[in-house]
Amino acid sequence: MAAQVPVYRVLIIDDNPAIHEDFEKILTHQEQAELDELESELFGGDQPNKTMPRFELGHAFQGKEGWQMIEEARKQGNPYSLAFVDMRMPPGWDGLQTIERLFASHGESALQVVICTAYSDHSWEDIQRRAGHTDRLLILKKPFDSIEIRQVAHALTEKSRLEAQQSRRFAELDELVNRRTAELEAANAKLQQQIAERDRIEVELRMAQKLEAVGQLASGIAHEINTPIQFIGDSTHFLQASFEDLQGVLASYREVCGKHVPSESLGRVKEAEEEADLGFLEEQVPKAIERALDGIDRVSTIVRAMKEFAHPGGSEKTPIDLNDAVKTTLAVACNEYKYVADVEVDLGDLPPVPCYPGEVNQVLLNLIVNAAHAIADAQVDADHKGLIHIGTSRIVDGVEVRIKDTGTGIPSEVQDRIFDPFFTTKEVGKGTGQGLAIAHSIVVDKHGGELKFETEQGKGTTFFIRLPIGEAARAAA
């Protein structure tokens, strides 16, 4: 099979038509073609196969015309490999101006240029200064020999082909590298996402284990406290009732003594009453018993809250009274906010909410504690407390809990990161950066709800917990 003959495009830029005719004769092999045809006629047979490259010549008679032809060929995807440029071409651009334009617009192309001149109008240094330092420029002195033209044309067109091939190969390699880089970046991003997910799961697992351990401990402590508290409560109620009975007996004694006891004996009774300060006791003992009963009731409330908080439920969602969950959490978190904030509660009429009770309690606890800390950070006067307002209400397809504080607010530059694991604005040792991340995961990922916030620096923050109910809750399960 005969080898395919390469064809190179060569542009002749010269104002002399005779020069164009000479290049046609030298580079298009007209003389050789005529000899081959004569040989075929004399001796018979086909003309011999030629593997030498062929040249397709273009002709321009002014520098600007040549530059335009090269530009148009490049746009059409059929560029010239070589241009022979005459130095003097009045009245338009001279050769050096033409070459400057060619290299300015084809700096990265494989176009080779040969300056053809019989004069020394410009030094080599001046040519380099104006055309730039390049290995794609050659000077050929007139008059030149046909063999010189052929050698230059063969060498430079082959050089142009190799440079174009190299450029394409580099482009392919660059595309391959970019594609592999993109694949690696995508794989790395996926790996980072998997690592972040694993870290989140580990954090949740550690928190769950911690909550389980704390829950077991709290449950045991609550049980141990509950029994003696019941004894104390029962005994205090007994004392209250008994003291009321004693007061009746004392009243009867006084009535009888006033009528039937001699004055001398009655005086000793009054002295004994004064010594025992009986009037003070009659006034203060009922108050003391009331205070004791109030304290016992408060301890009982905390113990019940601890028991409820310590039993988070199983792996299935359970319908709960969200208002009771708010009350329970407030009782447990009381020590966090009672010195820095008053609490206002506005609980609406809510249907049962299917959820994981222990995890919802944890979300409420995290947000209430954060609110207390934010208020403490903003507090300038210990005598003036902040305010935590907690409200619940029914919304479309769900319920909403609002926890509003009068704290410092969240800086705008970190608002996009507050739900990121391990991110915290608190001092070292005061915050782990896990509370809001876990809360977000519980509400959004496990319950299909929303956890959003509104904040204003210096005035406070409101967190909105939205949990689905009904069909929305079943779809999120």
Side-chain angles (χ1 to χ4, degrees):
M1 183 177 180
Q4 186 176 0
V5 178
V7 179
Y8 297 116
R9 301 193 72 197
V10 178
L11 181 63
I12 313 301
I13 306 175
D14 198 299
D15 62 337
N16 188 347
I19 297 295
H20 290 265
E21 294 175 2
D22 289 341
F23 274 102
E24 284 283 351
K25 292 178 180 178
I26 296 171
L27 295 180
T28 56
H29 303 292
Q30 291 179 352
E31 297 175 355
Q32 182 63 43
E34 292 173 358
L35 290 174
D36 291 338
E37 184 179 352
L38 180 60
E39 181 181 352
S40 177
E41 291 177 357
L42 290 174
F43 301 105
D46 296 333
Q47 297 183 27
N49 291 328
K50 299 293 184 180
T51 58
M52 296 295 290
R54 291 194 305 107
F55 299 104
E56 178 185 316
L57 269 59
H59 300 277
F61 294 89
Q62 287 292 308
K64 186 174 183 180
E65 180 190 3
W67 173 75
Q68 291 173 337
M69 290 178 65
I70 290 175
E71 281 286 299
E72 186 63 27
R74 180 180 62 84
K75 291 176 182 178
Q76 293 176 357
N78 189 22
Y80 285 97
S81 301
L82 173 62
F84 287 92
V85 183
D86 186 26
M87 186 58 80
R88 292 183 177 182
M89 293 180 289
W93 297 350
D94 65 14
L96 193 51
Q97 285 179 292
T98 305
I99 293 168
E100 282 185 278
R101 289 297 190 95
L102 289 176
F103 285 159
S105 57
H106 295 268
E108 300 300 324
S109 74
L111 177 67
Q112 310 294 313
V113 177
V114 177
I115 298 176
C116 302
T117 181
Y119 308 97
S120 299
D121 295 342
H122 301 279
S123 66
W124 175 244
E125 289 75 15
D126 185 41
I127 294 173
Q128 281 191 315
R129 181 179 59 80
R130 293 180 60 180
H133 294 275
T134 176
D135 63 350
R136 295 188 287 117
L137 180 62
L138 185 70
I139 296 179
L140 190 62
K141 286 287 187 179
K142 293 180 180 178
F144 36 71
D145 190 84
S146 298
I147 195 65
E148 290 180 326
I149 295 297
R150 289 178 181 171
Q151 287 177 336
V152 168
H154 282 290
L156 293 186
T157 52
E158 179 65 11
K159 179 172 177 285
S160 176
R161 183 188 69 81
L162 293 174
E163 286 184 1
Q165 185 183 62
Q166 183 186 51
S167 179
R168 287 192 299 270
R169 182 57 179 162
F170 281 158
E172 292 171 0
L173 288 174
D174 191 50
E175 181 182 357
L176 178 61
V177 168
N178 290 336
R179 187 167 63 248
R180 293 289 175 84
T181 301
E183 291 172 357
L184 288 173
E185 288 176 349
N188 184 59
K190 185 176 181 180
L191 180 61
Q192 293 299 322
Q193 185 179 7
Q194 291 173 344
I195 292 173
E197 180 67 13
R198 185 195 66 186
D199 290 343
R200 183 186 65 79
I201 293 172
E202 288 180 354
V203 168
E204 291 185 7
L205 180 60
R206 287 197 298 270
M207 184 60 68
Q209 292 170 341
K210 186 186 297 183
L211 286 174
E212 183 179 3
V214 172
Q216 291 175 351
L217 179 62
S219 179
I221 293 174
H223 178 74
E224 293 299 324
I225 293 175
N226 193 51
T227 302
I229 282 295
Q230 287 180 343
F231 294 156
I232 296 170
D234 293 343
S235 298
T236 305
H237 281 290
F238 170 74
L239 288 174
Q240 186 182 42
S242 299
F243 188 76
E244 291 174 356
D245 293 341
L246 283 174
Q247 283 183 308
V249 172
L250 283 173
S252 298
Y253 280 159
R254 284 171 178 159
E255 183 180 353
V256 171
C257 287
K259 294 179 180 180
H260 304 289
V261 175
S263 57
E264 182 180 348
S265 298
L266 187 60
R268 289 199 299 270
V269 171
K270 289 183 177 180
E271 287 178 5
E273 287 183 358
E274 290 174 359
E275 187 174 339
D277 203 358
L278 187 59
F280 176 80
L281 292 176
E282 286 181 302
E283 180 184 354
Q284 295 298 322
V285 167
K287 295 180 180 179
I289 291 174
E290 287 293 338
R291 288 195 296 271
L293 288 173
D294 182 62
I296 291 168
D297 186 60
R298 291 173 64 184
V299 171
S300 298
T301 301
I302 294 172
V303 169
R304 285 195 301 271
M306 289 179 64
K307 290 177 71 176
E308 291 177 13
F309 211 85
H311 290 85
S315 58
E316 299 291 330
K317 286 185 177 180
T318 304
I320 68 165
D321 186 334
L322 198 58
N323 290 336
D324 282 347
V326 170
K327 296 174 186 176
T328 296
T329 307
L330 282 173
V332 172
C334 180
N335 194 60
E336 291 288 341
Y337 63 76
K338 66 180 180 179
Y339 298 111
V340 297
D342 295 319
V343 174
E344 286 184 356
V345 178
D346 179 18
L347 304 179
D349 186 17
L350 302 181
V353 180
C355 64
Y356 301 102
E359 296 188 353
V360 169
N361 286 342
Q362 183 65 43
V363 172
L364 295 171
L365 180 64
N366 287 349
L367 295 180
I368 291 171
V369 170
N370 280 357
H373 289 174
I375 290 173
D377 291 340
Q379 198 173 38
V380 294
D381 186 354
D383 294 332
H384 293 82
K385 292 184 178 181
L387 178 65
I388 299 175
H389 179 89
I390 302 177
T392 62
S393 60
R394 177 73 187 268
I395 59 174
V396 177
D397 294 331
V399 297
E400 180 181 80
V401 181
R402 300 172 301 279
I403 300 176
K404 181 178 181 180
D405 65 66
T406 56
T408 56
I410 302 172
S412 58
E413 62 269 17
V414 301
Q415 290 179 13
D416 293 337
R417 302 179 58 196
I418 65 168
F419 295 125
D420 292 350
F422 305 106
F423 176 77
T424 180
T425 58
K426 297 178 182 178
E427 298 175 2
V428 176
K430 192 173 181 180
T432 63
Q434 298 177 13
L436 286 178
I438 291 175
H440 188 270
S441 175
I442 290 172
V443 174
V444 177
D445 298 333
K446 291 192 174 182
H447 290 83
E450 291 182 315
L451 180 59
K452 299 182 179 297
F453 65 92
E454 294 177 356
T455 186
E456 186 174 353
Q457 277 194 267
K459 292 190 176 182
T461 301
T462 303
F463 278 91
F464 300 89
I465 305 169
R466 298 185 179 109
L467 297 175
I469 58 175
E471 292 298 327
R474 283 190 285 275

